[in-house]
Amino acid sequence: MKSILSALFLVAVSGLAHAGAPAPKNPVMPAPPPGCDPLGYSFIEPGYLHLDNDIGTADGGYVDLSYDIGHNLFVEATGSILGGDYDFQEYGAGLGYYFPLSEKFHFVGRAGWAYTDADLSAGVHEAYISPGFRYQVTCDFELYAKAYLHLPEEGESNWSGGVGALYHLCPITALVVGGAIGEDDEWSVQAGIRIKL
């Protein structure tokens, strides 16, 4: 009888000892490293703009807005107001299409309308066509280039082109710097903050 009680006691004590032990867990596989965020076309970008041409120089601010509407299409709008040797303002809106040649390299085409007004001349209405590209060098660093063919309602067509770089400070915000040149010794530089929408 003693041996039976001793055996039951040992079973009970053993059961209580294992009752508080955690159940064995299935091994957890490490998560794969996250990939780069895709090139985005929904953002707002306020910034500083310096313009230099044969009239003089002007400084001020600009705001670019872009919104992806799906099917590789996006709408865009821009506005800038500058002052200095002359007052300058420009507003524009258009439609763009991006063609991904790869996940990191996009061909981008734009077309739209713009209005430019400098205080030494009458305002100019024009259509524009703009081919370009975006290249994601790393997850945080991007290069871009674009050219513009300006088609004013009156006068001859002219061109301009620009290049720039973008560096992500965080997933939502990026620092953007760029420069552009055009006819009549015109050139500009800009710096802004791009905020993902």
Side-chain angles (χ1 to χ4, degrees):
M1 182 72 176
K2 265 188 180 180
S3 60
I4 295 174
L5 289 175
S6 297
L8 289 173
F9 178 75
L10 287 175
V11 169
V13 169
S14 176
L16 289 173
H18 290 291
K25 295 182 178 178
N26 293 330
V28 177
M29 296 297 291
C36 297
D37 287 340
L39 293 169
Y41 291 84
S42 293
F43 60 82
I44 184 169
E45 182 186 315
Y48 162 79
L49 176 64
H50 171 83
L51 181 62
D52 191 313
N53 55 31
D54 54 5
I55 301 173
T57 63
D59 297 273
Y62 75 91
V63 176
D64 287 343
L65 179 65
S66 177
Y67 191 76
D68 193 330
I69 57 176
H71 304 288
N72 293 15
L73 291 169
F74 62 95
V75 291
E76 65 176 6
T78 187
S80 56
I81 299 177
L82 293 79
D85 295 333
Y86 61 98
D87 293 327
F88 175 89
Q89 53 185 316
E90 183 176 47
Y91 308 98
L95 181 66
Y97 179 81
Y98 58 94
F99 181 76
L101 299 175
S102 73
E103 288 184 359
K104 297 181 178 293
F105 190 92
H106 289 189
F107 173 79
V108 185
R110 302 172 176 87
W113 163 91
Y115 171 77
T116 304
D117 187 8
D119 63 0
L120 296 179
S121 64
V124 176
H125 294 269
E126 66 178 20
Y128 67 83
I129 300 170
S130 173
F133 72 85
R134 296 176 66 184
Y135 176 54
Q136 192 177 47
V137 182
T138 69
C139 289
D140 294 326
F141 184 64
E142 175 189 332
L143 297 174
Y144 68 85
K146 49 190 171 182
Y148 283 91
L149 175 62
H150 306 271
L151 303 165
E153 286 183 340
E154 298 179 6
E156 297 181 358
S157 62
N158 59 85
W159 64 270
S160 64
V163 296
L166 179 150
Y167 182 77
H168 283 278
L169 304 173
C170 69
I172 296 175
T173 306
L175 175 65
V176 183
V177 294
I181 59 170
E183 296 185 18
D184 301 322
D185 298 323
E186 182 174 281
W187 60 272
S188 66
V189 291
Q190 66 186 70
I193 296 291
R194 181 172 294 185
I195 302 166
K196 185 188 295 185
L197 299 176

